[in-house]
Amino acid sequence: MQSVLDLEVLNELVEIMGDDMAMLLNSYFSDSQNKLDQLAKMDWQTEQETIFRMAHALKGSSRNLGIVGFSDMCESIESQARANNLSQNDFDLSALNQHFKAACAELRERYL
Amino acid sequence: MKILIADDNNTERLILSRVLENIGHEVVQAEDGPTAITQFDNHAPDLVFLDVLMPGYDGYEVAEIIIKESTRPWFPIIFLTSLTEASDLAKCIDAGGDDFVSKPINRIIIKAKVDAFERIINLYDTVAEQRERIQFHHEHLVQEQEAAKKIFNNIAHRGCLESDNIHYHLSPMSIFNGDLMLAAELPMGGMRLMLADFTGHGLPAAIGALPASEIFYGMTTKGFSIPDMMVEMNTRLYNVLPRGVFCCVIVFDIDSLGHRLTIWNAGAPDSYLIDQKRNSIQLIHSVHLPLGIQSPQKFEINCSEFEFTEHHKLIAVTDGIIEATDHNSEMFGEKRMLECIKNASTDMSICDKLLSEVGIYCGELDQADDVSILEVGFPGKSNMAVTSLQDSTVTVSGTSDSVISLRLRGQSLGNFDPIPMFLQTLLACKELMPHRARIFTVLSELYNNALDHGVLSLDSSIKNDPQGFAKYYQQRAQGLKELDVGFVNVSVDHRPTATGGELIFELTDSGSGFDVEEIVKKENQNYSGRGLPLLISLCDSIEYLEDGTRVQAIYRWDHDDIRD
């Protein structure tokens, strides 16, 4: 299976966080799940400002954890929403969730 | 360092915290704008990382509040941002940030930035600390100067500078730019003034003022002549002043009885003797090195003598006015000064006129602090009243029954002035203090007559015009130089009487005498003679014997003479 993670980033992160890596991952999992759940309730047409902030946050934390594909998707949503230019096509929550789950699974397997 | 991180993103905040902790910093966290401000107040961090996008206040707003609240002269703020547009980044700096780092967090960049800021913070602290220290020392210095100024002003007081015939300008802190202005009444009326300029600034320039003033006031009241006083002053300054510090001085006596100006300029700018009646100005140049340079063995002083009446004025300055510069750094100079004095009208003092001219010349560059100007007119007839003196510390009745006698021969006549010695000894009798001006006048008139007209056979009528005035004193100096025979005998017999005492002055000289009656008749119409009318008015009796080569004058004093 091909990795969905940037292992170089993660190796450095392990070095930084040491024993707190698990705490960081768990905090990331619950924060991000939270945000994804909120995104699911958003109206893509009227709440683009909030969607922009959510996607921005998800992108930021995911990139720090080397989750490449998922953070790229978040970034694309972020930039469309920021310009108030989001289309239903862009706002593909099932693809987003799928990427998130895959990343979480691999992170769990490698670091927990 | 203590570092505050304000970021609503838990993951990022956790990572950044750990990065900073790993390199030894203490971290305080906040997850939104309001918490960031509370944490800032509670923990007083040294540095703040601010996320731009936060709930509550965003990073820009937090920065503004922090900068307003911080008591430090500078408080470092670094923005955290994943925004990449140049305008977004510029906004971080506009909002008061000092730098920004882009996300995701790179620990090498973070460490480099924090290290750089730590260095700047340390530099700021060092500067602040040094500033505080400098401020402390400065305040200390100002206090010391204030204290020193008080001491200096007590010793180097202005004497009779406030008299009506004097206009002057002297900065209150002049003592610290080395300028000194002193004025004292002469024992026989008239005044002695001195304007001195010590080289340098600050305390070193002020130090010489103490001995100079002490000698000035001490020796002037005791009746010493300018040469005697300046020899003493030069010797003292030569011994106390460090190398490179010296004192330019202009000193002069105005003898209001003899209408005579005796002046000596050592290293000071030209003084201006103005004759308002003849509408002429005479420049009095420096004729000697400043004080404190020449060893006492080499020091020699020759004063110049000029006529000085109600129509005369003398202007003395230090180099401050001449060296005052305009916007182009061009000096005011002696030419402008002379022009200004020439054009001075009579309704304004020349001192004020010079000050305002130099003020206009310099524009807004305020240089009045360095400018000292002394303008002196005729002091008026001397006050020969018997005055009570408050500051007499002499013991009671020291020499109330005594004879002092002295015989001066040949060169000693030119080299020694016996008047101060006689006066000092006589004034050991405290009761004579109120009579000092009269006694001084009687004694010095009698002595000068014996020396000038007796021994040297000078004709007092030469003095009737300005040229003659100078000629008279030239002849006198020449005569004294060549003197190898001749004598003056002075004797003062002080005897107690029932109500006080009497002083019998007896002077004998080696001259050929004079026709007393004719001289008295002549002198009643003319003041620049032998002062006989004055002597007659001061003494109870005066008698010329042996063809005028011997004179006996009696001065009686009474305990009841002292009136307030």
Side-chain angles (χ1 to χ4, degrees), chain A residues 12-13 15-17 20 23-24 27-28 31 52 56-57 59-61 63-65 82, chain B residues 9-12 14-15 18-19 22 53-55 82-83 85 88 103-107:
Chain A
E12 196 182 314
L13 195 59
E15 218 177 287
I16 292 168
M17 298 307 289
D20 287 340
M23 186 266 278
L24 176 72
S27 145
Y28 170 77
D31 278 357
F52 151 67
H56 173 80
K59 175 204 73 179
S61 42
R63 192 154 281 171
N64 279 305
L65 268 59
R82 192 184 188 192
Chain B
N9 190 311
N10 288 328
T11 311
E12 287 176 328
L14 281 173
I15 297 170
R18 184 41 67 91
V19 168
N22 286 351
L53 298 172
M54 278 190 296
S82 56
L83 305 174
E85 273 179 44
D88 289 324
K103 298 198 257 189
I105 289 150
N106 179 312
R107 62 172 168 165

Side-chain angles (χ1 to χ4, degrees), chain B residues 244-309:
Chain B
V245 178
F246 47 82
C247 175
C248 298
V249 68
I250 179 133
V251 58
F252 53 97
D253 280 356
I254 297 173
D255 167 3
S256 52
L257 287 175
H259 292 82
R260 173 163 61 128
L261 172 75
T262 307
I263 188 164
W264 189 63
N265 182 346
D270 287 347
S271 290
Y272 302 82
L273 175 59
I274 304 162
D275 183 336
Q276 289 170 324
K277 201 169 160 192
R278 294 186 176 86
N279 211 8
S280 70
I281 296 177
Q282 176 143 17
L283 269 55
I284 297 160
H285 308 293
S286 165
V287 293
H288 199 278
L289 289 172
L291 298 181
I293 294 177
Q294 209 139 47
S295 68
Q297 292 78 26
K298 285 186 185 162
F299 188 82
E300 203 181 328
I301 159 167
N302 289 302
C303 297
S304 309
E305 318 272 348
F306 298 94
E307 188 187 26
F308 200 87
T309 67

Side-chain angles (χ1 to χ4, degrees), chain B residues 50 246 491:
Chain B
L50 280 181
F246 47 82
S491 149

Side-chain angles (χ1 to χ4, degrees), chain B residues 57-163:
Chain B
Y57 307 125
D58 68 18
Y60 305 132
E61 290 166 327
V62 174
E64 207 174 298
I65 294 167
I66 283 177
I67 289 165
K68 225 180 269 170
E69 283 187 6
S70 173
T71 51
R72 301 186 185 196
W74 173 70
F75 188 83
I77 294 169
I78 304 176
F79 277 102
L80 291 163
T81 178
S82 56
L83 305 174
T84 48
E85 273 179 44
S87 63
D88 289 324
L89 299 177
K91 205 175 162 194
C92 295
I93 305 300
D94 288 344
D98 298 288
D99 203 352
F100 45 79
V101 288
S102 18
K103 298 198 257 189
I105 289 150
N106 179 312
R107 62 172 168 165
I108 294 166
I109 290 177
I110 294 285
K111 181 177 184 314
K113 298 227 172 189
V114 171
D115 285 351
F117 274 95
E118 190 165 22
R119 279 202 291 270
I120 300 174
I121 289 165
N122 287 341
L123 184 67
Y124 258 90
D125 288 349
T126 310
V127 169
E129 193 190 313
Q130 286 174 345
R131 205 184 74 127
E132 214 168 278
R133 221 153 54 201
I134 290 168
Q135 200 169 346
F136 173 79
H137 284 301
H138 176 74
E139 276 163 22
H140 190 70
L141 193 75
V142 168
Q143 272 176 12
E144 272 189 354
Q145 284 208 347
E146 277 301 317
K149 198 180 114 189
K150 274 184 197 144
I151 298 168
F152 279 119
N153 284 346
N154 284 337
I155 298 172
H157 58 89
R158 308 263 162 103
C160 61
L161 265 186
E162 303 304 329
S163 306

Side-chain angles (χ1 to χ4, degrees), chain B residues 140-195:
Chain B
H140 190 70
L141 193 75
V142 168
Q143 272 176 12
E144 272 189 354
Q145 284 208 347
E146 277 301 317
K149 198 180 114 189
K150 274 184 197 144
I151 298 168
F152 279 119
N153 284 346
N154 284 337
I155 298 172
H157 58 89
R158 308 263 162 103
C160 61
L161 265 186
E162 303 304 329
S163 306
D164 292 342
N165 61 317
I166 299 174
H167 294 281
Y168 69 97
H169 174 79
L170 194 62
S171 133
M173 293 303 275
S174 59
I175 197 95
F176 294 115
N177 52 42
D179 284 2
L180 183 67
M181 206 182 271
L182 306 170
E185 279 173 26
L186 293 166
M188 59 179 296
M191 288 182 178
R192 175 171 296 168
L193 293 106
M194 187 172 99
L195 179 57

